[in-house]
Amino acid sequence: MHIVFRVDASRQLGTGHVKRCLILANELLERSVKVTFISRNLPGNILEEMKEFTSSVIVLPKLDSKLSQLDWYRRYWEIDIAQCIERMKDMEEIDWLVVDHYGLDFHWEQRMRQRVKKIMVIDDLANRNHDCELLLDQNLVANMENRYDGLLPKRAVQLLGPSYLLLDKVYRHSQTPPRSHTVKRILISFGGSDPTGETKKVLQAITIVRKKEILYDVVIGSSNPDKPLILEHFGHLDGIRLFPQVPSLAPLMLKADLAIGAGGVTTWERIAMDLPSITIETADNQREVLNHLLQSGVIYHLGKGEEVTVKQIAVVLNKLLTDPSIVQRMIERISLFKDDFMLTTENPVVKLLVGEEDDVRN
């Protein structure tokens, strides 16, 4: 069996698309499925991380354009598909093509039909048409069951909601000890690229709060443009430990009493580990999910990154450090939320792709 992933990572697009595809690919590799990645050489890519999973990584050329990366794909998707098909011409039969890319839609997918048997799309925007047999949207928003009405062919199977989360096994099988509502250690992580500079702002807020007894574990993403500044200005401060991009946040999450981070897949990882968090939106597609989780009492959400100030972060951080009851309520809400919505230890997406379940139309 052969499954091909078409997915990109960059400073503009973030690294979350690739990260969740790597989780899926790793479970497929464990079942002796051949996996190939097709990804473009964009600034802030994580091609080397892909190559650690599989030797079959096809790199598309850099973009020579003043357009944003998403706008380039929307305008020049035919160039992308021509480059993909050219590099796929000598591949063995492709059973599934997994597409995780906001810049591609049904035009691209229809043209790819000539090379693949079936197509799976991973999306969470519901803002364009797709031509696929299987669609995965692992988020939780209002009217989820009707979100893709009119956007998919009738034959498409829809996997909707957190029950289908693409989480690493360490989170799916996590057995976390009871969380303390008294915060002594905080994990700060805003993903691989941190496009709105939230890591720097949180560190500035920490210097305002000045709680010397608190330990801070700060993970700096591999594509974070503020990395040199952070290392220079904050690396020497007492209580702050700086980490480069780590293979997994799970060990640091286990040690933490509170996290500060963005939306995306890391939100679900924190919930799976029963870790309360302060969140800041760093991309538009995070908004609806974070607001839903805020209303559920699962997180303490501050809003859109461009609008959140250092002072606001400092005020909220000080509030949670001095009032443990707020943290305790989040812990209780997380437990209730997981009972209602969270996934099982088995990954149903993998079972569908390898044919262990018959829910995908032939």
Tab-separated table of all heavy atoms in Angstrom, residues 36 43 45 65 99 111 137 142 149 210 213 259 271 302 306 325 329-330 358:
chain	number	residue	atom	x	y	z
A	36	THR	N	4.994	8.629	1.250
A	36	THR	CA	5.772	9.633	0.529
A	36	THR	C	5.217	11.011	0.844
A	36	THR	O	3.998	11.201	0.890
A	36	THR	CB	5.707	9.402	-0.995
A	36	THR	OG1	6.260	8.123	-1.305
A	36	THR	CG2	6.486	10.480	-1.743
A	43	PRO	N	10.460	29.193	3.047
A	43	PRO	CA	11.179	29.670	4.235
A	43	PRO	C	10.509	29.192	5.519
A	43	PRO	O	9.310	29.388	5.702
A	43	PRO	CB	11.091	31.199	4.097
A	43	PRO	CG	10.872	31.451	2.636
A	43	PRO	CD	10.045	30.296	2.147
A	45	ASN	N	10.535	25.907	6.380
A	45	ASN	CA	10.052	24.530	6.203
A	45	ASN	C	10.671	23.601	7.247
A	45	ASN	O	11.645	23.967	7.916
A	45	ASN	CB	10.380	24.021	4.793
A	45	ASN	CG	11.882	23.850	4.587
A	45	ASN	OD1	12.488	22.934	5.118
A	45	ASN	ND2	12.479	24.743	3.815
A	65	SER	N	8.066	34.848	-6.044
A	65	SER	CA	6.855	35.651	-6.170
A	65	SER	C	6.737	36.595	-4.986
A	65	SER	O	7.175	36.289	-3.877
A	65	SER	CB	5.627	34.740	-6.223
A	65	SER	OG	4.439	35.491	-6.200
A	99	VAL	N	-4.285	15.346	1.341
A	99	VAL	CA	-4.022	16.755	1.048
A	99	VAL	C	-4.357	17.589	2.285
A	99	VAL	O	-5.502	17.600	2.739
A	99	VAL	CB	-4.870	17.251	-0.145
A	99	VAL	CG1	-4.447	18.666	-0.545
A	99	VAL	CG2	-4.759	16.300	-1.325
A	111	ARG	N	-7.839	17.302	-10.814
A	111	ARG	CA	-6.747	17.035	-11.754
A	111	ARG	C	-5.838	15.917	-11.262
A	111	ARG	O	-5.217	15.209	-12.057
A	111	ARG	CB	-5.944	18.321	-11.981
A	111	ARG	CG	-6.678	19.374	-12.766
A	111	ARG	CD	-6.520	19.186	-14.265
A	111	ARG	NE	-5.162	19.477	-14.671
A	111	ARG	CZ	-4.715	20.702	-14.963
A	111	ARG	NH1	-5.553	21.749	-14.898
A	111	ARG	NH2	-3.477	20.900	-15.320
A	137	ASP	N	-12.029	16.890	9.637
A	137	ASP	CA	-11.975	18.178	10.331
A	137	ASP	C	-12.072	17.854	11.814
A	137	ASP	O	-13.140	17.502	12.324
A	137	ASP	CB	-13.119	19.084	9.886
A	137	ASP	CG	-13.029	20.481	10.505
A	137	ASP	OD1	-12.408	20.628	11.580
A	137	ASP	OD2	-13.589	21.426	9.932
A	142	ALA	N	-19.505	25.347	16.193
A	142	ALA	CA	-20.965	25.304	16.126
A	142	ALA	C	-21.426	24.690	14.802
A	142	ALA	O	-20.794	24.873	13.763
A	142	ALA	CB	-21.524	26.718	16.274
A	149	ASP	N	-21.775	21.244	4.149
A	149	ASP	CA	-22.908	21.096	3.232
A	149	ASP	C	-22.636	21.866	1.938
A	149	ASP	O	-22.310	23.065	1.963
A	149	ASP	CB	-24.193	21.618	3.868
A	149	ASP	CG	-24.727	20.683	4.942
A	149	ASP	OD1	-24.116	19.619	5.150
A	149	ASP	OD2	-25.754	21.022	5.571
A	210	ARG	N	7.233	39.323	37.733
A	210	ARG	CA	8.336	39.160	38.692
A	210	ARG	C	8.010	38.189	39.828
A	210	ARG	O	8.161	38.515	41.007
A	210	ARG	CB	8.741	40.515	39.262
A	210	ARG	CG	9.349	41.444	38.226
A	210	ARG	CD	9.780	42.757	38.844
A	210	ARG	NE	10.331	43.643	37.838
A	210	ARG	CZ	10.759	44.885	38.078
A	210	ARG	NH1	10.675	45.381	39.307
A	210	ARG	NH2	11.238	45.627	37.110
A	213	GLU	N	9.649	32.737	42.245
A	213	GLU	CA	9.523	31.336	42.649
A	213	GLU	C	8.974	30.460	41.529
A	213	GLU	O	8.962	29.227	41.640
A	213	GLU	CB	8.619	31.218	43.883
A	213	GLU	CG	7.147	31.542	43.643
A	213	GLU	CD	6.822	33.030	43.707
A	213	GLU	OE1	7.768	33.850	43.646
A	213	GLU	OE2	5.632	33.367	43.824
A	259	ALA	N	0.033	26.222	31.069
A	259	ALA	CA	0.693	26.474	29.793
A	259	ALA	C	0.207	27.800	29.224
A	259	ALA	O	-0.902	28.251	29.514
A	259	ALA	CB	0.405	25.347	28.805
A	271	ILE	N	-5.131	19.674	26.354
A	271	ILE	CA	-6.356	19.133	26.936
A	271	ILE	C	-6.186	17.649	27.233
A	271	ILE	O	-6.603	17.157	28.288
A	271	ILE	CB	-7.549	19.382	25.992
A	271	ILE	CG1	-7.878	20.877	25.952
A	271	ILE	CG2	-8.778	18.588	26.436
A	271	ILE	CD1	-8.915	21.262	24.911
A	302	LEU	N	-7.207	34.949	25.603
A	302	LEU	CA	-6.995	36.390	25.610
A	302	LEU	C	-7.419	37.082	24.325
A	302	LEU	O	-7.645	38.290	24.322
A	302	LEU	CB	-5.513	36.698	25.870
A	302	LEU	CG	-4.968	36.235	27.217
A	302	LEU	CD1	-3.520	36.682	27.377
A	302	LEU	CD2	-5.808	36.786	28.352
A	306	GLU	N	-2.454	39.990	17.499
A	306	GLU	CA	-2.135	41.373	17.148
A	306	GLU	C	-2.769	42.378	18.100
A	306	GLU	O	-2.321	43.531	18.196
A	306	GLU	CB	-2.589	41.682	15.712
A	306	GLU	CG	-1.794	40.975	14.626
A	306	GLU	CD	-2.361	39.611	14.290
A	306	GLU	OE1	-3.118	39.049	15.134
A	306	GLU	OE2	-2.045	39.082	13.207
A	325	SER	N	-8.035	29.220	42.457
A	325	SER	CA	-9.366	28.698	42.175
A	325	SER	C	-9.698	28.764	40.679
A	325	SER	O	-10.450	27.938	40.156
A	325	SER	CB	-10.425	29.450	42.986
A	325	SER	OG	-10.536	30.802	42.548
A	329	ARG	N	-10.765	25.482	38.470
A	329	ARG	CA	-11.986	25.381	37.655
A	329	ARG	C	-11.662	24.904	36.240
A	329	ARG	O	-12.408	24.113	35.655
A	329	ARG	CB	-12.713	26.732	37.617
A	329	ARG	CG	-13.510	27.037	38.881
A	329	ARG	CD	-14.523	28.146	38.647
A	329	ARG	NE	-13.893	29.406	38.292
A	329	ARG	CZ	-13.467	30.312	39.181
A	329	ARG	NH1	-13.600	30.066	40.483
A	329	ARG	NH2	-12.929	31.437	38.783
A	330	MET	N	-10.554	25.388	35.682
A	330	MET	CA	-10.155	24.930	34.347
A	330	MET	C	-9.851	23.437	34.345
A	330	MET	O	-10.235	22.710	33.429
A	330	MET	CB	-8.937	25.717	33.848
A	330	MET	CG	-9.286	27.016	33.161
A	330	MET	SD	-7.907	27.673	32.176
A	330	MET	CE	-6.861	28.326	33.467
A	358	ASP	N	-14.910	-0.235	6.739
A	358	ASP	CA	-15.474	-0.163	5.399
A	358	ASP	C	-16.351	1.066	5.186
A	358	ASP	O	-17.283	1.035	4.383
A	358	ASP	CB	-16.288	-1.422	5.102
A	358	ASP	CG	-15.422	-2.680	5.171
A	358	ASP	OD1	-14.255	-2.580	4.748
A	358	ASP	OD2	-15.913	-3.712	5.641
